[in-house]
Amino acid sequence: MKPTLQLYRNAVSGHCHRVELFLSLLGLPFDSIDVDLAAKAHQLPAFLAMNPLGQVPVLRDGDVTLADSNAILVYLEAQYAPGQWLPRDPVGAARVQRWMSLAAGPLAFGPAAARVVQLFKLPTDPKDAIARAEGLLQFMEAELGRTPFLVGERATLADVAHYAYVARAPEGLVSLQPYPAVRAWLARIEALPGFVPMLKLPIGLAA
């Protein structure tokens, strides 16, 4: 039976990987449709009809079309695993939302941005992005020194949202060696049933 879920993605995007990872953790079959960003496929009318901002990922689930990776995570959790990855109690929900906000802020403008500079060889000084990445990692290290996952004893959307860009931080010249609790957390994510790794860059591009 053909899956109803279709994921429009780019393989090097951590935003796309967080959705791929969650789909796999949920055991949901889906069609993966690569969007050639270099050829500006994301700016074609057919793609802009799905997401006027011209960004991946985009998820189609039957008649539902959604953009924004964090929004897609919330939808998938509510639709297919309600209460399992996003607490329904006010404090638990707020703690996850805090991390989702961090994923859209310091994570995106820290390790993710530093990685983009190296990946696309941009003529940009990555110093500020690396500093933001290190600040986030220091905060994560302290939090993960108290609990195995970002919001407590089990994985939530907070962990799914952060995994890819933290795991690939060295590709942006951000070392994970000073953060043993973060590295142990990455290993716990990778041990979850259904885990799928993010594409690794060629060794020549990696830090």
Side-chain angles (χ1 to χ4, degrees):
M1 180 177 177
K2 184 178 176 60
T4 61
L5 290 162
Q6 296 176 307
L7 177 64
Y8 293 78
R9 60 103 193 218
N10 184 274
V12 302
S13 166
H15 288 75
C16 293
H17 179 265
R18 67 176 58 142
V19 177
E20 292 180 78
L21 173 59
F22 196 45
L23 286 166
S24 185
L25 292 172
L26 294 178
L28 295 173
F30 65 98
D31 285 333
S32 182
I33 302 165
D34 289 318
V35 179
D36 190 344
L37 302 182
K40 301 190 183 304
H42 58 300
Q43 297 179 8
L44 295 176
F47 188 85
L48 293 174
M50 295 187 294
N51 182 6
L53 294 177
Q55 299 171 338
V56 290
V58 169
L59 181 77
R60 299 188 71 177
D61 185 6
D63 295 333
V64 176
T65 300
L66 292 169
D68 184 274
S69 59
N70 285 345
I72 293 170
L73 294 185
V74 171
Y75 167 80
L76 289 172
E77 198 274 348
Q79 182 74 355
Y80 294 103
Q84 296 180 39
W85 294 81
L86 178 60
R88 295 305 192 257
D89 67 282
V91 173
R95 292 182 68 197
V96 171
Q97 181 56 56
R98 179 195 193 195
W99 284 103
M100 301 296 268
S101 297
L102 289 171
L107 183 73
F109 294 100
R115 178 175 176 268
V116 165
V117 172
Q118 302 304 318
L119 175 60
F120 296 106
K121 300 187 181 301
L122 301 180
T124 303
D125 188 344
K127 179 179 64 175
D128 289 344
I130 291 173
R132 284 190 288 269
E134 291 173 344
L136 175 63
L137 288 168
Q138 290 165 12
F139 177 68
M140 292 181 71
E141 181 73 11
E143 294 291 301
L144 291 166
R146 291 187 282 270
T147 58
F149 295 99
L150 293 176
V151 182
E153 297 299 316
R154 62 188 181 98
T156 66
L157 294 186
D159 304 281
V160 177
H162 280 77
Y163 171 81
Y165 286 125
V166 173
R168 293 289 172 263
E171 294 173 357
L173 306 181
V174 178
S175 176
L176 296 178
Q177 287 308 307
Y179 311 106
V182 171
R183 288 186 280 112
W185 167 77
L186 291 173
R188 283 191 286 273
I189 300 296
E190 291 160 6
L192 293 173
F195 171 82
V196 290
M198 184 179 174
L199 175 72
K200 276 192 174 183
L201 296 180
I203 293 175
L205 288 179

